[in-house]
Amino acid sequence: MNRGLWDRETVALMLLAAYMPIALFWLVYGGTGALARLGIAVLILAVWNIAFMLARAQPPSFAALIMALAVAMLAPEDLGVFHLLLGISFGAVMGELVFGGWGRNVVNPATVALSFLGFGFPGFAWPGFDDPVIWAAIPAAVIGIATGVMPVAVLASAFAVGCAVVVTGVPLPENVLQIAGLVLVLIVADPVTSAATTLGRWLNGLLYAGLVLLFALQWGGAAPVQIAVAAALLASLATPLFDEMAVSLWIAQRRSRHGRN
Amino acid sequence: MPARMFGSGLAPRFPSPPADASDPILVITQEAGVRTPIGQTLRITPLVQQGEVVHQGAPVACLRDEPSVQFVAPMPGRVARIALHPGRKLSEIVLFHEASGDIVQHDHLAATTEPKLRHLMQAAGLWPWLRRRPFGGMPPAKERPAAIVVMAIDTRPFAPDPRQALMGRKDSFARGLQALTLLADGPVFVCQQAGPPLFDSADRVHMVECGARHPQGSAGIRVHALAPATIEAPVWDIHAEDVAALGDLLAVGVLPTTRLVRVAGAGLRDSRLIRTQSGADLRELTQRAALPGAHMLISGSPLDGHVAHWLAPRHRQVTVLPSPRPGSPKHWFIAALTQSALPKPVIPTAALTQAFGAALPAAPFIRALSAGDDEMAMKLGVLSLLEEDIGLADYVLGGEAHLADLLRGMLDRIRKEFAT
């Protein structure tokens, strides 16, 4: 029988294709160290995915590679293998696999893993990025939007806030906006854990950008990646509320127009 | 939704030989099957015996609970077989064509009031061409809908253009529309592509322009947008060609039983446009045009059709697809990597939003459908939809979400819990 393309794995592969520019630039500038971190992350996630496949008949997803990339890029530097193993395992298992795998998770597992690593091992420094890696987020977002796998409204609303900040000249610590943009594309624009309604997506992007702004101004000594990851975590927790609001509003508008649903 | 500026919906492409540009030819198959509308199992009383010769338009069965609603012979013929399921539910009544048969003439002049119009439509066999929402199937004999939606657009792949079916029948179409206003409490909406209206302005008849991409021309999406169906306020839909047939019935007392049908698909040598009767034999319609090898005959479009022997009552498409070849069984490890006991989750993408024509919040709707949240689904408009309306979404998601099955299960549950 005829079948369309947009099943879970196609979406995961499209997202992976969108993230290729970021991954390539990061690997080129990060060298063997970056490659080793990525390899470790992929290996840990492969083991957990196979474990859940065998234990719960839960098919693995290519989305694990996206999580591996996000964690390898954004995790605090100089963490040993054991720390990475703990953080990635916690994020993958508690953030995604226990819910039934990618597509059924509530928060992005990479955000959970990064938050765990940040809170658990505060002595390690958060990474910085070379400019080409940050600029590579633009083609990644373009590919994601063009293929329809990234929510346009989330990206657009957060970008609009970023533009407003630049125009009004709000004094922010160095690199916060750039790295917030990278995290926006890598983590916040995940189609599963971002809001699923148009209004919800606008609010989702606005909240993320607003939290980044708040943390940047009020959280003394926080690293840009730390600020962005914390904002992403809190914003993703609020997305079900945004969707609920958007759906309620849609139902109310429809009822007022037609007198019934 | 942002995609509205480009026109919402999708244009899925399926392989098929190019369509023959010539005028449609009339094909009356030697066998035809009378069946109930899709999604309904109806208890009937046969009105003919096997072997009996019937005229075109003669009643062959009626509903057991509402005898005024009759199923008629789509061609003059001999009754070959009457097949009933347990409980006297109609499976099929098969007719062999008799070229010398006559045509039944109805008393059309008397149908000036609503009860007489209903009686004429039910006696002439036009009632099964109407479809009600919620739940689908033909409406009860005495139901008055809140609105009627006339579909003069069909955006499904390979669908014949209803405007071509209406060519030269403007008066019949207008007469049919006027008659429909007698049956409904509310307005009659005529959905068509952008262009000159297909009818002269009339009281309570409204023209609605629709986009050219699917599912903009899907009746459920239009009902959802124009007059949402509820349990208390059912809405009917009918194809524009059937409205013209009603106009002809009112003018001359004879219901035209042929319709414009497109035969297409990857399993054919030639794609063609024909006029054939309701219940036509799909094998005969395709036997000289099909490519060698096993293939599936589908009544309906590749998105929402079903494998069938006879052209279904409201269908205007026949799709021929090569049968899938049985593959070797997968290694257990590969199967474990790719298959799962639970259906894979649906990821909200732009494709999913467009598969619903940006008409409703797609991801919350799918979640309500998957979780069996009947009340939320009703608030989101599930009562206006039927399986064919979400065929595109099912296709886009790779067929793994089984949305049509979920929708039918939910509608049956709602009917049981809320509508009785």
Side-chain angles (χ1 to χ4, degrees), chain A residues 24-77:
Chain A
L24 287 176
F25 277 101
W26 177 67
L27 287 173
V28 166
Y29 283 86
T32 50
L35 191 61
R37 276 159 72 94
L38 182 61
I40 291 168
V42 169
L43 190 63
I44 296 168
L45 287 171
V47 169
W48 277 117
N49 273 273
I50 289 174
F52 269 77
M53 180 188 82
L54 296 174
R56 293 177 56 171
Q58 210 166 276
S61 169
F62 286 111
L65 297 176
I66 298 170
M67 180 190 170
L69 176 67
V71 174
M73 282 182 72
L74 300 170
E77 289 176 327

Side-chain angles (χ1 to χ4, degrees), chain B residues 196-256:
Chain B
L198 298 169
F199 59 98
D200 297 328
S201 62
D203 187 34
R204 287 172 56 206
V205 183
H206 307 282
M207 187 188 95
V208 179
E209 285 192 359
C210 309
R213 292 183 184 177
H214 196 54
Q216 291 300 314
S218 185
I221 298 296
R222 297 271 55 97
V223 169
H224 176 83
L226 297 168
T230 64
I231 292 167
E232 299 79 24
V235 176
W236 296 356
D237 73 87
I238 184 170
H239 194 275
E241 189 180 10
D242 295 339
V243 177
L246 171 61
D248 288 336
L249 173 67
L250 291 169
V252 297
V254 174
L255 181 70

Side-chain angles (χ1 to χ4, degrees), chain A residues 1-8 11 53 57 59-60 102-104 148 191-192 196-198 201 243 247 250-251 254 258 260-261, chain B residues 1 14 224-228 230 321 333 336-337 340 343 345 347-351 359 361 363-364 379-380 395-398 400:
Chain A
M1 206 62 171
N2 294 286
R3 286 184 174 182
L5 280 174
W6 297 99
D7 62 2
R8 184 181 76 155
V11 178
M53 180 188 82
W102 191 62
R104 292 198 170 92
V192 173
T197 56
T198 306
R201 285 169 175 165
D243 278 340
V247 169
W250 184 88
I251 291 169
R254 196 165 158 75
H258 296 291
R260 57 186 190 261
N261 290 118
Chain B
M1 305 268 175
F14 294 88
H224 176 83
L226 297 168
T230 64
L321 299 176
F333 190 72
L337 285 173
S340 60
I347 311 295
T349 59
K379 288 178 183 171
L380 293 174
Y395 167 79
V396 159
L397 295 173
E400 291 186 346

